[in-house]
Amino acid sequence: MDIINDEDFVTITSNGNVNVFGYTSMDNKLPTEKQATSLPGTLWRKIRKLKDQDALIAISDTKAVWLDTKTLKVIAEQPLDGDPTTIGFEDNIIHIFGKSNIHYISEKPGIIVKMPLSAVNMRITAYHYVKDYNYHVIGAENGNIYIINNKGEIATTLTGHEGAITALGCTERFIVSTGYDRRLRYWDISNGKSIIANFTVGFDKWPLTFTIDPKEVMIWIGNADGHVNRYCIDPNMSRLSPAISQR
């Protein structure tokens, strides 16, 4: 899932249902569905909004598909091997990861180049680029989070999750992660240390994806049974409290 603009976010289910929902940051009401489409395929993993473009990219276990943000019509697609699992952005460069050493990059819809990846030799399950620190933050199937420097070397390893990392993101101060241990963690972005004890996300199913609204007052978390849950974030806190209210 991903934020499209200040009013909408997009989700995709494993069977290819794409939905655009409207929301208001301070509105307690449930989000309203604005648009929907269905993509053919077997197992869809992630969907993201392309930066500075009116386009989305979605990946399944066999291909990448680009869609028009306003109409949700498919504008390009490319086959992928290596059972892709996650996507992320380094400015306008799209990174797609899968099994050991499977790594693609794309800068334009429909154009993909396979690139080797040597720093982390296992399935990569989440990725986020932190521009201010020039970090490539990689989540792996072993539950570790690796911070890769601009030389392509592992600078720091964050440990704490007890299952594969399912999603990564960041705010101005924190790296945020979820995992198959059904936990949400916030890490200090300046030193890579976890700033809270494990916080158990209140789901019976795994949290698979999340997005943080531009004002950083809410985090939306999508789980394995297709539900999207919203949690409040206090932007003035110095640490995350487990007393986040679910709405």
Side-chain angles (χ1 to χ4, degrees), residues 36-145:
T37 192
S38 182
L39 299 176
T42 53
L43 181 59
W44 290 90
R45 312 270 193 180
K46 302 281 185 179
I47 191 166
R48 296 291 305 273
K49 165 75 168 62
L50 271 65
K51 295 184 178 180
D52 303 321
Q53 298 185 53
D54 287 326
L56 307 166
I57 180 172
I59 61 165
S60 74
D61 56 343
T62 59
K63 61 184 174 181
V65 172
W66 288 260
L67 303 95
D68 184 277
T69 304
K70 297 178 180 178
T71 65
L72 296 186
K73 291 184 178 179
V74 174
I75 56 178
E77 65 178 82
Q78 280 288 336
L80 301 172
D81 58 19
D83 191 16
T85 51
T86 195
I87 53 179
F89 293 93
E90 178 189 355
D91 293 327
N92 291 321
I93 300 173
I94 301 168
H95 292 267
I96 303 173
F97 299 94
K99 292 180 179 178
S100 299
N101 294 320
I102 295 297
H103 176 217
Y104 299 92
I105 63 170
S106 174
E107 296 186 60
K108 295 181 180 179
I111 300 176
I112 285 180
V113 177
K114 185 181 284 189
M115 299 286 289
L117 182 73
S118 58
V120 180
N121 190 23
M122 66 184 70
R123 181 186 288 274
I124 292 170
T125 54
Y127 170 84
H128 191 84
Y129 176 65
V130 184
K131 185 175 182 178
D132 289 346
Y133 293 89
N134 200 18
Y135 289 162
H136 297 267
V137 185
I138 288 175
E141 61 183 347
N142 65 355
N144 289 345
I145 299 170

Side-chain angles (χ1 to χ4, degrees), residues 6-243:
D6 287 343
E7 298 180 352
D8 305 315
F9 68 91
V10 62
T11 67
I12 191 168
T13 60
S14 59
N15 62 354
N17 292 328
V18 179
N19 299 87
V20 175
F21 294 98
Y23 77 95
T24 303
S25 290
M26 302 310 294
D27 189 349
N28 292 337
K29 297 180 180 179
L30 293 174
T32 56
E33 183 181 286
K34 288 187 172 183
Q35 207 167 2
T37 192
S38 182
L39 299 176
T42 53
L43 181 59
W44 290 90
R45 312 270 193 180
K46 302 281 185 179
I47 191 166
R48 296 291 305 273
K49 165 75 168 62
L50 271 65
K51 295 184 178 180
D52 303 321
Q53 298 185 53
D54 287 326
L56 307 166
I57 180 172
I59 61 165
S60 74
D61 56 343
T62 59
K63 61 184 174 181
V65 172
W66 288 260
L67 303 95
D68 184 277
T69 304
K70 297 178 180 178
T71 65
L72 296 186
K73 291 184 178 179
V74 174
I75 56 178
E77 65 178 82
Q78 280 288 336
L80 301 172
D81 58 19
D83 191 16
T85 51
T86 195
I87 53 179
F89 293 93
E90 178 189 355
D91 293 327
N92 291 321
I93 300 173
I94 301 168
H95 292 267
I96 303 173
F97 299 94
K99 292 180 179 178
S100 299
N101 294 320
I102 295 297
H103 176 217
Y104 299 92
I105 63 170
S106 174
E107 296 186 60
K108 295 181 180 179
I111 300 176
I112 285 180
V113 177
K114 185 181 284 189
M115 299 286 289
L117 182 73
S118 58
V120 180
N121 190 23
M122 66 184 70
R123 181 186 288 274
I124 292 170
T125 54
Y127 170 84
H128 191 84
Y129 176 65
V130 184
K131 185 175 182 178
D132 289 346
Y133 293 89
N134 200 18
Y135 289 162
H136 297 267
V137 185
I138 288 175
E141 61 183 347
N142 65 355
N144 289 345
I145 299 170
Y146 301 96
I147 296 180
I148 311 298
N149 61 25
N150 57 9
K151 297 180 181 179
E153 303 166 339
I154 296 175
T156 306
T157 300
L158 310 181
T159 59
H161 281 286
E162 297 176 358
I165 305 302
T166 55
L168 289 166
C170 74
T171 70
E172 188 173 319
R173 294 174 292 165
F174 307 124
I175 295 170
V176 187
S177 61
T178 55
Y180 277 119
D181 55 1
R182 297 176 186 159
R183 297 185 185 275
L184 170 71
R185 272 186 174 269
Y186 273 53
W187 311 80
D188 189 314
I189 205 168
S190 63
N191 60 26
K193 294 182 179 179
S194 181
I195 56 99
I196 60 166
N198 281 336
F199 171 59
T200 302
V201 180
F203 299 144
D204 293 330
K205 302 294 184 179
W206 298 308
L208 299 180
T209 185
F210 68 81
T211 191
I212 302 169
D213 81 296
K215 296 179 182 179
E216 297 185 3
V217 299
M218 292 188 304
I219 182 169
W220 299 86
I221 303 178
N223 61 22
D225 63 3
H227 291 148
V228 176
N229 293 263
R230 178 174 61 179
Y231 292 82
C232 296
I233 304 170
D234 179 0
N236 298 315
M237 65 187 174
S238 59
R239 56 188 283 123
L240 182 68
S241 168

